[in-house]
Amino acid sequence: ATADLIDQDVASIDQNNQDPGAQDRGVSALPLMIALCNTMISLVDNSYFSRAWCAVEALLMQSLLSYGHHTHLEHCPAQPGAGKRGSRGRLVPSRRLGQLQDVATNDLKYAVTKPEDRTSIRFLARQAKLLEKI
């Protein structure tokens, strides 16, 4: 039997835990948590890939696609007038590795709420490069 595991991004790194090092441990574990997921579904809107945390999480999954064991899908919202069939939007395969590879080197183009998060973003982007199959 196989187990279905769902990782909710909002719960991946506990933003409210003020214990010293708790958030750093969550950030360090993020590549492993994403690698353990067979499928990632990104809920994409017009600003999704301009937000640093969204971009780096997508980059981590995109880096794993080269192994052939993972799937990254984007949920695109329904367009006005899509009718009943398209009223929930659609899932499409995501292929954005080339677009996202500059997260580590050009991270200032990506929005963050807390400027101190940029160090974690750069760290995770470097981890994504290590995960990528050559």
Side-chain angles (χ1 to χ4, degrees):
T2 61
D4 292 326
L5 301 174
I6 297 175
D7 173 52
Q8 290 184 313
D9 177 50
V10 71
S12 296
I13 300 171
D14 186 351
Q15 301 297 312
N16 297 317
N17 189 342
Q18 298 303 313
D19 292 338
Q23 290 181 0
D24 289 338
R25 287 190 299 275
V27 168
S28 295
L30 191 59
L32 178 60
M33 289 188 305
I34 290 174
L36 291 172
C37 296
N38 293 339
T39 302
M40 175 188 277
I41 300 174
S42 296
L43 305 177
V44 176
D45 62 13
N46 290 337
S47 67
Y48 184 84
F49 291 105
S50 68
R51 298 191 307 263
W53 281 108
C54 297
V56 80
E57 289 166 359
L59 175 62
L60 285 162
M61 181 55 91
Q62 289 288 303
S63 297
L64 293 168
L65 294 179
S66 60
Y67 294 94
H69 303 292
H70 298 82
T71 305
H72 186 194
L73 302 172
E74 295 178 19
H75 179 267
C76 301
Q79 299 299 318
K84 185 176 181 180
R85 198 153 197 216
S87 64
R88 295 187 206 158
R90 56 187 172 49
L91 291 174
V92 296
S94 180
R95 298 284 185 253
R96 295 183 183 260
L97 183 60
Q99 173 190 346
L100 296 170
Q101 284 184 322
D102 70 341
V103 175
T105 58
N106 192 17
D107 65 281
L108 293 178
K109 88 174 197 182
Y110 297 92
V112 293
T113 304
K114 299 185 302 185
E116 59 270 20
D117 283 352
R118 292 207 183 275
T119 302
S120 297
I121 297 296
R122 290 181 195 121
F123 166 78
L124 291 168
R126 289 191 306 271
Q127 295 301 303
K129 192 67 177 164
L130 293 173
L131 289 173
E132 191 178 336
K133 186 176 181 181
I134 298 174

